[in-house]
Amino acid sequence: MISTIHNKGGRAVALETTYRRSVEFWKGTVQGTPGDWSGPTPCTDWDVRALVNHVVGEDRWTKPLVDGMTIAEVGDTLDGDLLGEEDPKGVARAAADEALTAVAERLPAGGKVHLSYGEEDIEEYIRQLVADHLIHGWDLAMATGQHRTLDPELVAEVAAWFRDREDIYRSSGSIAERPTSAKGGDPQADLLIAFGRNPDWAPNPRTR
């Protein structure tokens, strides 16, 4: 795991590195996505395009939030389809790069961000984003036949952070129930199950 440094500046550097690695993993998976974005994903309500659009939305929200804007101030400007038709991969890459730059600039100073449930420490918000990029990166890889083994250091980081938050996420409806038929036993599988995924998920060819 990334070493823990017991001062604020050191923690920010370590967290920014973790965040960057999760976003770069997401970016690479988007770039490897084939042309058909209509296939199913482990997120049962989303096809590939909707999944990518969701994370692009998270990335587009990152800069205004770490800059101190409220949800009301952003309004509905980031609602709906953000990908367009001409270059969705380019849109996703640009959104991720904008978020990376904003976090690198703002995280070291600490402070608060305004989220849907109220004010939150910026470090906690960034940890949420690390999990989002890692888990949804796996979703996208599984849906599109790409390499599905996650960075073990990121898995360990997210698992340690999520251990005390799983019940909160589930009770709020943010994640599905743990699949009873799923087989754990290794850190990646255990993390995916905690997030309501079946590590052995595969798309049904008849739905593609």
Side-chain angles (χ1 to χ4, degrees):
M1 290 176 63
I2 296 170
S3 59
T4 301
I5 305 172
H6 297 287
N7 61 76
K8 183 176 180 180
R11 287 201 308 270
V13 170
L15 179 55
E16 193 275 330
T17 300
T18 301
Y19 171 72
R20 181 171 294 275
R21 286 167 63 181
S22 72
V23 176
E24 292 295 347
F25 164 63
W26 165 256
K27 283 173 57 181
T29 308
V30 173
Q31 297 312 302
T33 298
D36 180 11
W37 286 31
S38 65
T41 75
C43 301
T44 55
D45 292 336
W46 293 336
D47 63 11
V48 168
R49 183 181 176 89
L51 172 65
V52 175
N53 190 69
H54 167 75
V55 180
V56 167
E58 294 283 355
D59 287 337
R60 291 285 306 278
W61 270 98
T62 301
K63 177 174 170 52
L65 290 178
V66 300
D67 283 348
M69 294 181 68
T70 66
I71 291 176
E73 288 171 335
V74 177
D76 61 1
T77 58
L78 299 177
D79 290 352
D81 178 67
L82 301 172
L83 298 179
E85 297 297 332
E86 294 185 3
D87 185 17
K89 291 183 180 181
V91 170
R93 183 170 58 248
D97 288 342
E98 177 188 73
L100 285 168
T101 299
V103 169
E105 291 175 350
R106 298 295 184 177
L107 179 59
K112 301 287 186 179
V113 294
H114 303 279
L115 302 181
S116 58
Y117 57 83
E119 282 198 342
E120 182 61 88
D121 291 336
I122 188 172
E123 290 188 358
E124 175 66 16
Y125 172 53
I126 300 307
R127 290 187 180 96
Q128 294 173 11
L129 294 178
V130 171
D132 216 38
H133 287 88
L134 184 69
I135 300 300
H136 285 319
W138 179 86
D139 291 334
L140 184 59
M142 293 294 284
T144 57
Q146 299 186 62
H147 184 67
R148 59 193 64 185
T149 301
L150 301 176
D151 181 328
E153 289 191 351
L154 291 181
V155 169
E157 290 281 329
V158 173
W161 166 81
F162 195 58
R163 190 168 296 120
D164 296 330
R165 293 164 176 80
E166 181 181 349
D167 289 344
I168 298 172
Y169 269 59
R170 184 156 289 115
S171 64
S172 69
S174 298
I175 57 175
E177 294 294 327
R178 284 173 169 250
T180 56
S181 61
K183 296 179 181 179
D186 66 79
Q188 176 172 315
D190 291 345
L191 179 65
L192 292 167
I193 290 169
F195 273 91
R197 269 68 171 176
N198 186 335
D200 296 323
W201 183 91
N204 184 340
R206 288 175 296 178
T207 67
R208 293 182 67 87

